[in-house]
């Protein structure tokens, strides 16, 4: 957990990637891709926080196989924060208590003034250019860059002053443009020291604060507005992260999970495929593609 | 282009990855992830075939930056094979002429009896375990393994005889289960020699052959049915590839492509963000999230 030092003996800050994750069919596909991305990055520590009462063996096995330095934590989203069925997805911010658990872990394990590091909240469905991590690593207090496919724009985020790639003078956004930090979670990184020096800075799950999760958090870290952030990605001129989303697979009968198909088969674990004959009959009566 | 040799001087077959790709908003995000996967694989050559009259500079720049050994080709889907708007996606198989262009390239560049290699048709939206490529590389004629999220099942594909992980005795599938090869494109690999020894084996775009693309091709390679295939992935017991699909981003106005936002901005290229003030007014009149 000690920061590595490069050949010139100056510290290379560790990047702490905080990833909230929850069970779904595509979970291990997305974590597999993210693992392959992080495997390319030096001096990274992946803090994965499961939405569960306790860490699952499936996820622990996966992370062990992945090969990236990791910590697996778990905390369950309280029932009152769980999105009711049929409600629009934005009704509740997801991953709130998990990200807070990750922040708690940082505060329990590192001390103000002692550890070099940078913190990035990276969801498991986004797409990350390898270059993004070089940009993140040099964050002194808090930094930002544009993110593709956010807020119903092709990209959303910082715009620097012409001829001054180090000065952000406006934010490209259409959703609640009055926000002090019109930024998606994928669009900022924070120095570990700033997290440690503001022990009460947490994310708040409140539908009334819809869309304000990032702004509320960054203000609690003592930042006033986007002009306080360090612009990255060549003066905010490159797309290095895409807010991609994966479709839910079109599966005939999720009931099959109660029978021969088991979700535990998916992570690439060894699995047995013993499907009762009755299930096969049911399937053969279906005409899945309308032909 | 010559196969590398490992320390024991036995040839390590090159894996030729044939990827048909077409322009869309998420194209470079998906290619970025696939690049990061392939960067982990030794002795791989990525043959990317664009749906375009000629290779684009954007894609060539991307592949140069990616760092994987590559060949960029292009061929445009004939207008009669282009899916009419509003038609179901399965109406025409996509990537047909592009994959054939890839096969043509293999036949132009390699000679029967001379080059060791294995061919895999890998779409840019799937998720690949790194271990999949170890499995592919040892393909003698043609091999197969289960694929997740295909044919409306959690996984579709080979099932081996209990106690005989080297013998496929049935295929887990519900879509046209009478197909000789009930397999998705992501579920098989073919030895280069088999491609070269069957110079007329190509993919056929015909809506009447819906769902038969893979079967038709494998039969043209002289294979009878799935029992002719080598089972991989621990006797078909692991999921090493997921047929994931990425959602189309929800963008306010694709018209913006005609104005300040340009699709060429997306690949991570250096881009300028000069949005005419008029466009900003249009945006500010929109209320994208209904709040």
């Amino acid at each position: 957990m000690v920061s590595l030092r490069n050949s010139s003996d100056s510290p290379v800050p560790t990047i702490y990637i905080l990833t909230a994750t929850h069970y779904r069919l595509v979970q291990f596909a997305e974590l597999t891709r993210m693992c392959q991305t992080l495997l390319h990055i030096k001096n990274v520590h992946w803090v994965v926080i499961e939405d569960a009462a306790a860490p699952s063996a499936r996820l622990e096995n996966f992370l062990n196989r992945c090969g990236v330095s990791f910590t697996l934590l778990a905390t369950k989203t309280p029932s009152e924060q769980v999105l009711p069925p049929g409600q629009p997805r934005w009704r509740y911010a997801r991953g709130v208590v998990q990200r807070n658990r990750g922040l708690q872990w940082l505060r329990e394990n590192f001390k103000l003034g002692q550890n070099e590091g940078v913190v990035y909240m990276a969801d498991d469905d986004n797409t990350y250019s390898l270059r993004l991590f070089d940009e993140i690593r040099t964050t002194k207090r808090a930094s930002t860059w544009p993110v593709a496919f956010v807020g119903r724009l092709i990209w959303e985020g910082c715009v620097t002053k012409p001829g001054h790639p180090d000065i952000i003078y406006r934010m490209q956004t259409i959703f609640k443009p009055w926000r002090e930090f019109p930024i998606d979670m994928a669009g900022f990184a924070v120095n570990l020291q700033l997290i440690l020096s503001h022990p009460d800075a947490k994310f708040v799950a409140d539908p009334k604060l819809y869309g304000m999760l990032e702004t509320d958090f960054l203000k609690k870290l003592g930042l006033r507005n986007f002009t306080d952030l360090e612009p990255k990605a060549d003066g905010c001129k490159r797309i290095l992260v895409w807010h991609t989303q994966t479709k839910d697979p079109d599966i005939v009968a999720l009931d099959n999970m109660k029978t021969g198909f088991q979700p535990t088969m998916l992570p690439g674990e060894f699995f047995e495929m013993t499907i009762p004959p009755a299930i096969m009959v049911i399937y053969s009566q279906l005409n899945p593609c309308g032909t």
Side-chain angles (χ1 to χ4, degrees), chain A residues 151-167:
Chain A
R152 301 189 74 186
L153 290 179
I154 293 182
W155 57 263
E156 183 190 75
C158 50
V159 181
T160 54
K161 209 168 161 177
H164 295 273
D166 53 334
I167 300 171

Side-chain angles (χ1 to χ4, degrees), chain A residues 259-261 265 272-276:
Chain A
T259 55
F261 294 99
M265 292 174 175
E272 293 300 326
M273 295 187 293
T274 47
I275 298 122

